[in-house]
Amino acid sequence: MLFQQQSNITPSERRKILVIGRPAGITDVLADYAIQLSERLESDLFIVAILDNMESNDNSGVHETVTRGPAKEALRIFKQKAARKNIRCNDAIWEGNMEKAAEFLLQSVKRTVFVLTDSEYTKNQLSEDITIPVFSLSTTYDLEGTTMTRENKEQRKSDLKKTIGYGLLSACLYGLVFWKPDTVMHYFTKGGFYAALPVATVIVFSFAHGAFASSLWSLIGIKPLKKDALQPADSKSIGQSKKLQKRPRAYAYINPFHKI
Amino acid sequence: MDVTQFIDLNIVSVSFLFFVGFVGGLVSGFIGSGGAFVLTPGMMSLGVPGTVAVASNMCHKFPKAMVGAFKRFKYGQVDIKLGLFMAASAGIGVQIGIQLQHFILNKWGAVGSDLYVSLSFVAILIVVGSYVLYDAMKSSASGGQEKVSSLAQKLQAIHLPPMIHFKRANITISFWFTVPVGLATGMLAATIAVGGFIGVPGMIYVMGVSSIIASASELVIAFTMGLAGSVNWAMHGMVDIRLVLIILGGSLIGVQLGAIGTTYVKESMIKIVMSVLMLMVAVSRIFALPKYLNQLHLMSFGSASISILEKISFLFMCLALLVAAAIILGGMWKARKPAMMLKESFSQV
């Protein structure tokens, strides 16, 4: 485990917000929100980039030199933004296990009031190990111009693959029909049982081309914003959770014939 | 059937069909119907025979509705049971509508039939469209929140067995009150090919379903009826698969955008788009009326004026579709704006 620190951790009277970023870097949304929040709460910031997928080469503890390029760059931008608002900000890169990072940081960084992260996964991992509140920041809007998170990049990659794959399939199907249109038209307009041909064709096309269109919109970034009309499903799940929450109760039983 | 009666395709016709498919799909995905009324005359203007245009339009409609319904089902907006109940009675409504058309055709001939179609088109679209627009304005003024109509509340309170509960729509209503709405939807579909113009307002104001769920469930009705109609037309060999696939190319992209759009906007926006579309289409049909009145010798117009009026009517129909699409995209853009402002305010920190 290697803990690298750019600034010394100086215990201070001011409260701190611990911001934990993911290996891919700290998103703009998280950085902006954390800075705005610390300004309002008049607190300091402590930003940590967790690199839990890298092997550490020694156990020497705190180091002055940071070699992890992207994380270092993200922290530099974060600190610059904070400095513009006159917010005191310490930063660190943690290589290794996230739970241990949280444990160590909360011991070292005094007066941490809560932890802010942009990943639900990180929040869930941390919530099990630490006692102070952990908040995760998420947005329903796909803001343009923000640093893309790893999930977004993966989603985009998957959308691109699907768009190309289904696009090629759709193009092949169109090619098949328009390659010899006269023959196709001859059989497709025969009527009777041949009616199955056009009907089946449009169904096959709607699957291939529909999947292509869906992934195309997703790739462009046009995605649904909210899910409407979920009232019946919601009330059902609330009902179920109420049922689960019902605890067994202890009842006192008084024997009226006691000592008779 | 001989292949020669189907048109040759060129880059202009392909682009036109793809674009109309896209815009029609966008509107359908958002309000549950629409687009079909432009496609049939649009294909006919390219030289496609009337029956082939109707058949091909229907054959593109059901997979588009299927994809739209699936997408909106994922957003929790579709009441499948409601859609299937309505589709069953709408199927009967279509048969009644066809019989009525035959009756009028036998009594007053083709011109009388056309006049009946146009008049019912104009009357229904103006009456229902005006009311939907009035209601949409009212709910927009009160913050976009919908209220269940007093008629729907009264009908829901009447316990006339069998009572049916629609879980997603969260309503319980007598089966007998769902039937007239379904029948009217089917009759309108048989007459003017867009049943949703009465189906969606019917579900909202008569049954008390929210406009989001009504427009999404309308896609189930459109799929069921479109599938049955397509099989019927395909058995007669009337479907031009090339036209269908080109339109589908655009409409499957559009219908998903329309479905996504419903998650961006307030519920009253669906009513606004629908009412504007209905009223504009009604105006376009008014331009087509002189032709039939001329043929019935009730009025006299020159053939040049009739031809110009027909063109104006078609262009106005295209404009109606474009305006509806612009309102949807504008609404989505507006809803996205707060997110951008949020981002800007953070960036200034």
Side-chain angles (χ1 to χ4, degrees):
Chain A
M1 184 176 63
L2 172 70
F3 181 56
Q4 297 176 321
Q5 185 186 8
Q6 284 183 307
S7 314
N8 289 329
I9 302 168
T10 48
S12 156
E13 290 305 310
R14 279 166 70 90
R15 290 174 301 177
K16 289 182 191 69
I17 299 169
L18 181 62
V19 184
I20 296 184
R22 281 172 291 172
I26 293 102
T27 60
D28 286 353
V29 175
L30 176 67
D32 293 338
Y33 186 75
I35 290 165
Q36 215 178 43
L37 197 63
S38 67
E39 197 183 8
R40 261 184 281 147
L41 299 177
E42 295 180 347
S43 58
D44 292 349
L45 285 172
F46 195 101
I47 172 89
V48 184
I50 305 274
L51 305 176
D52 56 358
N53 54 348
M54 293 182 183
E55 287 178 18
S56 53
N57 48 13
D58 64 41
N59 291 318
S60 55
V62 178
H63 286 251
E64 289 299 323
T65 326
V66 176
T67 52
R68 307 299 176 199
K72 189 184 167 188
E73 181 61 16
L75 291 177
R76 191 186 64 76
I77 295 168
F78 189 101
K79 281 188 81 176
Q80 253 181 12
K81 279 185 175 179
R84 263 183 246 144
K85 294 301 236 179
N86 294 324
I87 291 165
R88 285 170 64 185
C89 177
N90 288 314
D91 63 320
I93 293 177
W94 178 275
E95 290 182 10
N97 188 292
M98 190 185 297
E99 291 86 342
K100 284 184 181 169
E103 205 181 318
F104 178 79
L105 287 165
L106 289 176
Q107 280 173 6
S108 315
V109 185
K110 303 294 176 198
R111 299 207 70 199
T112 304
V113 279
F114 59 86
V115 180
L116 196 63
T117 173
D118 62 353
S119 151
E120 195 64 21
Y121 174 70
T122 311
K123 181 192 154 188
N124 292 340
Q125 267 193 316
L126 290 175
S127 302
E128 289 172 9
D129 296 291
I130 58 177
T131 48
I132 64 166
V134 182
F135 300 105
S136 77
L137 186 72
S138 63
T139 169
T140 51
Y141 294 106
D142 204 10
L143 299 174
E144 285 170 20
T146 55
T147 310
M148 269 202 294
T149 60
R150 190 167 61 177
E151 281 87 346
N152 278 351
K153 276 183 182 168
E154 279 167 8
Q155 179 65 41
R156 217 176 152 80
K157 225 181 232 179
S158 144
D159 286 339
L160 185 66
K161 274 184 195 167
K162 277 184 192 170
T163 310
I164 294 171
Y166 286 118
L168 284 173
L169 179 66
S170 185
C172 287
L173 289 171
Y174 271 95
L176 273 175
V177 172
F178 286 92
W179 182 36
K180 284 191 175 172
D182 291 345
T183 317
V184 168
M185 288 297 284
H186 175 71
Y187 286 104
F188 279 49
T189 54
K190 270 191 162 181
F193 287 111
Y194 286 90
L197 286 173
V199 174
T201 304
V202 290
I203 290 173
V204 171
F205 265 78
S206 59
F207 278 111
H209 194 61
F212 160 72
S214 175
S215 45
L216 180 71
W217 287 124
S218 186
L219 182 70
I220 293 169
I222 299 174
K223 292 173 186 173
L225 275 190
K226 62 187 183 211
K227 291 190 176 182
D228 284 299
L230 292 172
Q231 295 91 339
D234 284 350
S235 59
K236 193 183 169 192
S237 63
I238 290 164
Q240 281 172 347
S241 63
K242 272 185 184 168
K243 210 182 256 179
L244 287 172
Q245 280 168 4
K246 203 176 177 184
R247 293 176 185 171
R249 290 183 182 184
Y251 292 96
Y253 174 71
I254 299 162
N255 183 1
F257 304 107
H258 185 62
K259 286 187 181 173
I260 291 179
Chain B
M1 181 159 292
D2 195 31
V3 177
T4 49
Q5 78 166 67
F6 295 101
I7 61 157
D8 287 328
L9 291 167
N10 56 43
I11 188 74
V12 178
S13 55
V14 169
S15 311
F16 172 76
L17 291 173
F18 184 88
F19 180 72
V20 177
F22 173 77
V23 182
L26 172 65
V27 175
S28 298
F30 195 81
I31 63 169
S33 60
F37 57 86
V38 173
L39 273 166
T40 308
M43 278 190 268
M44 284 163 77
S45 71
L46 294 173
V48 178
T51 44
V52 177
V54 172
S56 306
N57 190 4
M58 190 156 279
C59 196
H60 113 275
K61 196 171 145 181
F62 89 85
K64 175 184 76 177
M66 180 178 77
V67 170
F70 175 70
K71 196 87 181 163
R72 291 187 67 171
F73 179 77
K74 283 208 293 190
Y75 306 151
Q77 299 174 347
V78 176
D79 193 317
I80 298 175
K81 188 177 168 186
L82 174 68
L84 292 177
F85 261 86
M86 296 296 290
S89 45
I92 300 165
V94 169
Q95 296 307 319
I96 297 172
I98 291 169
Q99 293 305 318
L100 190 65
Q101 287 253 54
H102 279 305
F103 173 75
I104 292 164
L105 195 71
N106 291 334
K107 195 137 191 169
W108 291 291
V111 183
S113 169
D114 284 343
L115 188 66
Y116 154 73
V117 169
S118 275
L119 278 176
S120 52
F121 216 114
V122 171
I124 290 168
L125 293 184
I126 287 181
V127 171
V128 181
S130 306
Y131 183 74
V132 176
L133 184 64
Y134 162 74
D135 184 54
M137 295 300 212
K138 215 169 66 177
S139 54
S140 269
S142 61
Q145 289 300 312
E146 282 190 327
K147 282 179 190 165
V148 179
S149 72
S150 53
L151 173 67
Q153 280 174 344
K154 279 176 194 161
L155 291 179
Q156 283 178 22
I158 300 170
H159 285 268
L160 189 65
M163 295 294 285
I164 305 165
H165 179 65
F166 298 107
K167 199 173 166 188
R168 178 62 69 192
N170 205 15
I171 57 159
T172 304
I173 193 163
S174 168
F175 167 75
W176 302 109
F177 297 132
T178 68
V179 172
V181 179
L183 287 179
T185 308
M187 281 177 73
L188 199 73
T191 317
I192 63 171
V194 192
F197 281 162
I198 203 127
V200 178
M203 279 189 268
I204 297 171
Y205 299 112
V206 180
M207 295 169 66
V209 181
S210 72
S211 47
I212 285 268
I213 293 182
S215 59
S217 305
E218 172 63 33
L219 287 166
V220 178
I221 305 173
F223 164 70
T224 317
M225 287 168 65
L227 178 62
S230 298
V231 170
N232 188 26
W233 281 116
M235 285 177 80
H236 290 92
M238 290 291 176
V239 176
D240 187 336
I241 194 73
R242 301 165 309 157
L243 299 178
V244 174
L245 293 182
I246 292 163
I247 301 166
L248 261 185
S251 70
L252 290 184
I253 298 173
V255 78
Q256 305 216 22
L257 183 61
I260 294 169
T262 58
T263 67
Y264 279 66
V265 297
K266 287 175 186 164
E267 294 206 5
S268 58
M269 187 61 94
I270 290 173
K271 289 179 186 167
I272 290 174
V273 173
M274 182 180 281
S275 55
V276 167
L277 191 64
M278 287 167 88
L279 292 173
M280 285 188 77
V281 171
V283 172
S284 95
R285 294 312 297 173
I286 290 173
F287 285 115
L289 280 179
K291 181 187 165 189
Y292 310 123
L293 294 172
N294 216 20
Q295 285 168 337
L296 284 171
H297 305 292
L298 294 169
M299 287 172 100
S300 64
F301 288 94
S303 57
S305 340
I306 293 288
S307 159
I308 291 169
L309 284 172
E310 270 190 324
K311 276 177 188 153
I312 292 173
S313 168
F314 178 63
L315 288 175
F316 213 83
M317 229 182 240
C318 294
L319 183 70
L321 202 60
L322 286 174
V323 168
I327 298 173
I328 295 168
L329 294 176
M332 284 176 75
W333 182 257
K334 253 190 190 172
R336 223 181 135 73
K337 223 175 166 186
M340 304 299 288
M341 283 163 68
L342 185 74
K343 193 244 178 266
E344 278 168 17
S345 69
F346 274 131
S347 304
Q348 284 164 9
V349 175

